[in-house]
Amino acid sequence: MQVKTFVVNHYEVNSYLYYDEDLKEGIIIDPGFYFDDEKEKIFQYIVDKKLTIKNIINTHGHLDHIVGNSYCKKVFGSSIYLNKNDWFLRDNVLDYAETFGFQLKALPDIDYDLNQNNKFIIGNNEIIILHTPGHSPGSVCLISHKDKFIFSGDLIFKNSIGRTDLPGGSFDIIINSIKNILFKNCGDEYLIFPGHGEKTSVLFEKENNQFLI
Ligand SMILES: [Zn+2]
């Protein structure tokens, strides 16, 4: 499985394309594609690699992570998943989009609730979902136990954690999600692909992250 990272929109979100190069299928995680050149880049990449995009998965409902939902659905024809606890963030988006520098004509698309019952098969790989609230009530992590990869959204970053001052956020809950949900399910050797910034590992964060020591 390959990971291609696109750093997009003015919040520098990591939008990930996670794909099987041989079987030519993949998923898009957190499509933050907003500017035209960002949309062209992912489109061209997927055309060049001849990939089918099976699903579009949002780690949580903040606009910088979901703003490209409708574009990706339209162009790649895939269904969009977001945990139901975060649908309110999408539903209120037109009230606050402009404040955050986004011009939107309509709400970003969502098709299905994303929860711990969902499993996504990409190539020979299975991706499971952990509900890890705290940054927002519906935040999730995507886990590949085969690759030992974590897509953490804004739960945890290299040397930091997600902010907890936005609607539905909680410091105690985010710390619990990291220590008692994520780290209990994923060993030290797992790599973390966060929603912003460079990738890290469970071990590195256990040893260096001031919020967790
Ligand atoms: Zn966020």
Side-chain angles (χ1 to χ4, degrees):
M1 293 285 283
Q2 307 289 320
V3 179
K4 169 74 180 167
T5 309
F6 299 85
V7 181
V8 293
N9 74 53
H10 40 291
Y11 286 88
E12 300 191 337
V13 166
N14 290 329
S15 292
Y16 293 108
L17 174 61
Y18 186 37
Y19 66 98
D20 186 310
E21 188 133 46
D22 300 324
L23 296 175
K24 306 219 171 295
E25 57 185 31
I27 55 171
I28 295 172
I29 302 164
D30 285 352
F33 310 101
Y34 177 64
F35 298 109
D36 286 346
D37 62 316
E38 296 168 349
K39 294 174 182 170
E40 278 160 27
K41 245 183 219 165
I42 179 135
F43 179 77
Q44 203 52 53
Y45 193 91
I46 286 169
V47 168
D48 289 347
K49 295 276 180 190
K50 301 186 171 62
L51 299 177
T52 300
I53 301 304
K54 290 182 80 175
N55 305 103
I56 298 162
I57 302 179
N58 299 134
T59 59
H60 64 292
H62 289 149
L63 184 53
D64 51 335
H65 294 253
I66 68 171
V67 68
N69 277 6
S70 303
Y71 170 77
C72 287
K73 179 173 171 160
K74 188 175 82 189
V75 172
F76 306 121
S78 340
S79 305
I80 298 172
Y81 290 78
L82 172 68
N83 184 272
K84 250 201 170 127
N85 295 301
D86 268 13
W87 286 22
F88 77 99
L89 293 167
R90 190 287 302 250
D91 295 344
N92 297 333
V93 105
L94 296 178
D95 298 339
Y96 69 83
E98 242 181 86
T99 316
F100 290 92
F102 294 97
Q103 307 285 334
L104 289 188
K105 292 192 193 94
L107 296 178
D109 285 314
I110 303 171
D111 296 310
Y112 300 110
D113 179 26
L114 176 66
N115 58 59
Q116 299 200 160
N117 297 322
N118 294 120
K119 276 188 183 139
F120 299 92
I121 308 293
I122 308 297
N124 298 316
N125 215 305
E126 181 180 84
I127 292 149
I128 63 147
I129 304 299
L130 291 179
H131 183 212
T132 50
H135 174 63
S136 69
S139 287
V140 305
C141 290
L142 281 63
I143 313 289
S144 163
H145 285 305
K146 191 172 175 192
D147 282 348
K148 300 189 190 304
F149 284 176
I150 299 163
F151 295 93
S152 69
D154 290 357
L155 176 71
I156 184 167
F157 306 116
K158 188 170 190 179
N159 284 319
S160 189
I161 61 170
R163 56 190 288 189
T164 54
D165 58 329
L166 297 168
S170 159
F171 184 80
D172 291 344
I173 292 175
I174 201 171
I175 296 295
N176 182 65
S177 287
I178 295 169
K179 289 185 170 174
N180 297 322
I181 301 174
L182 185 63
F183 288 177
K184 289 264 158 71
N185 281 275
C186 301
D188 288 352
E189 69 279 25
Y190 277 63
L191 279 182
I192 299 173
F193 296 83
H196 303 266
E198 56 185 302
K199 66 176 185 286
T200 181
S201 71
V202 169
L203 180 63
F204 184 89
E205 297 313 312
K206 279 183 181 170
E207 291 185 338
N208 296 285
N209 193 320
Q210 292 303 313
F211 293 95
L212 305 174
I213 292 170

